[in-house]
Amino acid sequence: MEKTPEAAPVRSIKDLPSEENILPGTPVCAGCGGLLTLRYCLKALGSNVVIVNAAGCFTLLSIYPFTPFKSSWLYTAMACAPAGAQGVRDALDVLIEKERLDPEDDLKVVVLTGDGAAYGMGLASTSAAIHRNLDFYYICYNNEAYGNTGFQQSEATPFGSKTGTTPPGKTSPAGKDFPEKDLFEIWNSHKPPYLATISPAHPVDLINKFKKAEKYRGPKLFIALSPCPPGWATDPSLSVKLAKLSVDTGIWALKESVYGEVEHTYIPKSFKPVEDYLKLQGRFAHLFKPTRQEETLKRIQEMVDDYWNRYKLLL
Amino acid sequence: MLRVRFHGRGGQGVKVASRVLGTAAFSQGCYAQDFPLYGAERRGAPITSFTRISREPIMERGVISQADIVIVMDETLLHDPMAMPLSGLKKGGIVFINTSHSQEEAGAEYKITAWVITLDLTKIGIEMLGRNILSTLAGAVASRIAGLEEDSLRHAVEKEMSDIMTDRELIEKNIEASLYCYNAIPPVEIKTSGTREAGTVITMPFETAGVSSPAIYAIGNTPLRKTGNWRVFRPVWNYDACTKCMMCAARCPEGCILVNEEGFPYTDYENCKGCLICVEECPTKAVKGVLEVHA
Ligand SMILES: Cc1ncc(C[n+]2csc(CCOP(=O)(O)OP(=O)(O)O)c2C)c(N)n1
Ligand code: SF4
């Protein structure tokens, strides 16, 4: 179901659209990887959007009487942003039908949530929205825990991470002792028109994915691994570096899927060891000090290798 | 009862500071209570936390509006109308300010009539711990002012740090740095009265959703909030080394790096939060982080 022809791809960071649709002065943390992701996404989406935001860090973006957005924004409860998006989409469609809104002035409906909502509480309402083929975008900034409430584990928290609710100790020295859900695969099983993983370290890949998604009617879904300085216990200046390392170690695979057909959009020429990424973060510090947890480190590396072997992409 | 209020910014260790003080008091046989108050904001935003210490069981609850000791961990908050760290300081109370200024200078600069004590915790933190996390340092200063013993402080730092980190070396450094701060402050006498004046209770009238739920009609007005005072380091560009690749502008989460008439990048210091991603990402190392020195 083609809507508009695909726009020419962006080739380098210099060609990123110069428009800014989210302004400085937000209350989110210095160095927030999610904010950088959102800044790029809004460069691609423009300002004719309605953001439907589930409870999480980003509901702090608009706090009366301030907003960083040039567009509209609506706050919903944690589990039901896709249901909110349905309401907004329906309202816009009714207005267009009654000729009270020029189709030229139609708005894109964009759900914005953290991973706590996307992987957990909001999964059912997202599944239903994809199933109904709701014409909307979904951006999940995945900081791999409940950031807003002080970094408790979510269903995206990786194996080996310390969080407020997975403290490393005698019974589970690794911290969280089982891996995250594979939300990409769960969403992909619905065969949505467009689904992609993105990274704030790869804005060119990100923008081009949005441009490609634009031509499809129906759900267009994005998951971004987003460094979170307070939760990951990292220096704010390292957020981009960590996002790069998540891709270069193979931990975060950049890929897309069109109606269920998966393709990788970036395959590192040589994979860096996962330790390069883990050792920079306080949430994994217990894996290295006071003693190295060899088994756990080995298992994390194996999980990454298994993933790429499954796709026969490990060179 | 002693009522102590800590003011700092998210990420500086305000909550843990109040906890170190509470634990130190508890370990020498006092009753103690400590808790933080978060606004709806993140790292860098003003945060307050509270400690009550008493020889008798503490029946009082809620925020401390009348403090005997105020610990200002971030000097820029003294100008912040939202934080107002000095409000409600009791007559005869003590203000501690983390600053490079002397007591006299700080008192004059901020027009404080109460007894002022100063120490440059940021410098000590960066030199002794390698970072600007001031929890144990501010907890140490507060312990000294509250008249607690050195051993209680040592015990509290050991306990509270072991709860949140496994790095033994860093725990030792925290103990060393906190004892250094403890001993850098001369003993003082607090001359406030122990009782609290009755406050007034404000009741909110019930309003319909149309009145009580906030709606914002403005477009992109957060720059008015000026998050520039969150910075500890400011990015500074060396245009001799800059190749105008604009990597810094592209990578800035805030989008506050702009281009000047000659095509060089510069940041909007009014809102730059000082994350220093630009310093990390510049391929020619043309951006440096320089320690902010406030007012
Ligand atoms: C049903 C429900 N339960 C709990 C909360 C409290 N709450 C607000 S934000 C939040 C964390 C959300 O985590 P996530 O979706 O990962 O977003 P992040 O905070 O990381 O941005 C929680 C638990 C809520 N708003 N609604
Ligand atoms: S807690 Fe993490 S995700 Fe939330 S605003 Fe801060 S850096 Fe961003």
Side-chain angles (χ1 to χ4, degrees):
Chain A
M1 258 190 272
E2 304 253 321
K3 220 171 141 187
T4 40
E6 207 171 313
V10 169
R11 298 201 190 282
S12 79
I13 282 199
K14 279 217 168 213
D15 302 335
L16 296 180
S18 60
E19 64 179 281
E20 301 288 355
N21 291 311
I22 177 160
L23 299 187
T26 61
V28 302
C29 304
C32 174
L35 182 66
L36 181 56
T37 306
L38 181 60
R39 177 179 164 230
Y40 294 138
C41 294
L42 290 176
K43 276 175 180 286
L45 288 167
S47 59
N48 282 345
V49 301
V50 185
I51 295 170
V52 184
N53 202 153
C57 289
F58 281 11
T59 34
L60 309 176
L61 287 172
S62 285
I63 296 177
Y64 187 82
F66 297 108
T67 175
F69 296 111
K70 291 188 179 163
S71 57
S72 299
W73 181 89
L74 174 73
Y75 177 10
T76 71
M78 236 182 115
C80 59
Q86 177 84 54
V88 174
R89 185 63 262 160
D90 289 350
L92 289 164
D93 288 343
V94 168
L95 288 176
I96 291 173
E97 202 176 291
K98 292 191 169 167
E99 295 184 358
R100 284 167 56 195
L101 178 70
D102 189 331
E104 289 282 299
D105 297 331
D106 189 17
L107 303 175
K108 293 172 186 154
V109 183
V110 181
V111 165
L112 178 62
T113 81
D115 50 286
Y119 284 65
M121 276 190 231
L123 186 56
S125 68
T126 315
S127 171
I130 305 173
H131 179 64
R132 293 190 303 267
N133 202 39
L134 175 66
D135 190 18
F136 78 127
Y137 291 81
Y138 193 133
I139 302 167
C140 166
Y141 59 97
N142 172 13
N143 55 13
E144 303 194 314
Y146 282 27
N148 192 36
T149 41
F151 215 70
Q152 296 82 14
Q153 74 161 319
S154 78
E155 281 144 275
T157 304
F159 170 65
S161 170
K162 169 185 169 177
T163 69
T165 43
T166 57
K170 280 200 193 71
T171 43
S172 9
K176 190 181 178 205
D177 49 15
F178 51 94
E180 72 282 9
K181 267 184 192 170
D182 190 342
L183 183 64
F184 184 92
E185 283 300 321
I186 295 171
W187 279 355
N188 199 40
S189 69
H190 300 63
K191 299 196 177 10
Y194 194 82
L195 163 62
T197 56
I198 50 178
S199 166
H202 290 260
V204 174
D205 176 82
L206 182 155
I207 300 262
N208 287 332
K209 283 173 172 167
F210 272 87
K211 282 185 184 283
K212 182 163 178 183
E214 209 172 86
K215 64 176 179 171
Y216 298 101
R217 240 191 130 76
K220 298 166 270 281
L221 314 161
F222 298 85
I223 315 172
L225 182 64
S226 305
C228 164
W232 293 17
T234 50
D235 194 80
S237 64
L238 296 183
S239 292
V240 170
K241 180 173 180 172
L242 286 163
K244 282 185 203 162
L245 279 170
S246 73
V247 173
D248 293 343
T249 52
I251 284 182
W252 191 244
L254 290 176
K255 53 188 170 180
E256 64 181 4
S257 160
V258 175
Y259 293 113
E261 290 297 320
V262 181
E263 280 213 42
H264 285 78
T265 56
Y266 176 83
I267 301 162
K269 285 197 188 65
S270 64
F271 288 85
K272 292 198 167 133
V274 291
E275 265 187 45
D276 288 8
Y277 168 75
L278 302 175
K279 70 184 178 210
L280 295 178
Q281 305 176 47
R283 64 175 173 153
F284 297 114
H286 58 285
L287 304 182
F288 299 94
K289 266 190 178 179
T291 44
R292 271 176 71 89
Q293 299 191 27
E294 292 297 350
E295 273 308 304
T296 307
L297 291 167
K298 200 168 136 236
R299 207 174 133 208
I300 297 174
Q301 184 66 61
E302 277 166 7
M303 288 191 297
V304 173
D305 293 348
D306 285 350
Y307 171 88
W308 292 95
N309 276 326
R310 204 167 355 123
Y311 284 100
K312 305 208 180 345
L313 292 171
L314 199 61
L315 304 173
Chain B
M1 188 189 318
L2 265 187
R3 298 173 183 86
V4 186
R5 209 168 59 208
F6 294 79
H7 294 267
R9 292 186 182 275
Q12 281 181 329
V14 187
K15 179 177 106 178
V16 177
S18 68
R19 208 171 160 85
V20 166
L21 175 63
T23 302
F26 184 73
S27 71
Q28 62 178 75
C30 295
Y31 290 87
Q33 208 184 55
D34 61 78
F35 54 97
L37 177 75
Y38 299 101
E41 295 181 323
R42 315 272 62 170
R43 192 181 255 206
I47 285 182
T48 312
S49 88
F50 311 90
T51 310
R52 290 190 177 94
I53 302 173
S54 176
R55 296 249 163 239
E56 309 295 324
I58 301 172
M59 305 311 286
E60 203 172 287
R61 295 290 183 273
V63 302
I64 294 173
S65 51
Q66 295 160 21
D68 303 287
I69 303 171
V70 166
I71 306 286
V72 182
M73 293 168 63
D74 189 304
E75 200 176 358
T76 61
L77 292 172
L78 289 161
H79 293 300
D80 190 324
M82 306 261 270
M84 296 211 294
L86 302 181
S87 72
L89 179 71
K90 285 206 266 181
K91 201 162 181 295
I94 292 179
V95 182
F96 169 82
I97 306 174
N98 166 23
T99 175
S100 54
H101 290 313
S102 69
Q103 298 177 209
E104 295 72 25
E105 284 166 353
E109 168 78 29
Y110 298 112
K111 304 192 176 51
I112 303 171
T113 46
W115 185 250
V116 177
I117 298 173
T118 63
L119 187 64
D120 195 343
L121 298 186
T122 305
K123 187 157 169 272
I124 296 170
I126 290 171
E127 280 173 8
M128 296 185 74
L129 304 174
R131 51 179 114 182
N132 180 38
I133 299 182
L134 312 175
S135 40
T136 52
L137 315 185
V141 164
S143 297
R144 175 61 144 194
I145 298 173
L148 301 178
E149 289 155 22
E150 188 171 331
D151 263 355
S152 314
L153 170 68
R154 184 197 305 270
H155 168 82
V157 173
E158 167 84 47
K159 173 164 187 323
E160 294 307 328
M161 289 300 105
S162 305
D163 280 356
I164 52 178
M165 57 174 77
T166 46
D167 186 342
R168 190 63 229 170
E169 206 180 309
L170 198 53
I171 296 173
E172 293 294 344
K173 279 190 192 164
N174 270 282
I175 294 174
E176 194 191 331
S178 62
L179 294 180
Y180 174 84
C181 292
Y182 180 94
N183 289 308
I185 306 277
V188 281
E189 196 190 334
I190 302 163
K191 301 199 190 83
T192 51
S193 71
T195 50
R196 190 175 66 125
E197 293 148 38
T200 40
V201 176
I202 301 167
T203 44
M204 300 286 280
F206 180 80
E207 301 281 5
T208 55
V211 175
S212 62
S213 53
I216 307 167
Y217 297 102
I219 290 175
N221 60 355
T222 42
L224 296 170
R225 299 179 69 251
K226 307 212 188 309
T227 42
N229 62 5
W230 293 19
R231 276 195 311 272
V232 179
F233 291 90
R234 62 163 51 203
V236 175
W237 277 257
N238 168 9
Y239 291 154
D240 292 334
C242 170
T243 58
K244 303 183 180 173
C245 74
M246 291 302 146
M247 191 57 83
C248 52
R251 300 285 195 193
C252 172
E254 302 293 323
C256 54
I257 301 176
L258 310 162
V259 186
N260 71 14
E261 282 146 23
E262 289 105 71
F264 285 115
Y266 71 97
T267 194
D268 158 21
Y269 287 118
E270 301 238 293
N271 279 295
C272 162
K273 292 173 186 165
C275 70
L276 304 191
I277 287 178
C278 47
V279 173
E280 187 64 33
E281 293 302 314
C282 170
T284 61
K285 302 260 163 278
V287 199
K288 290 262 167 322
V290 179
L291 189 64
E292 287 283 359
V293 183
H294 290 292

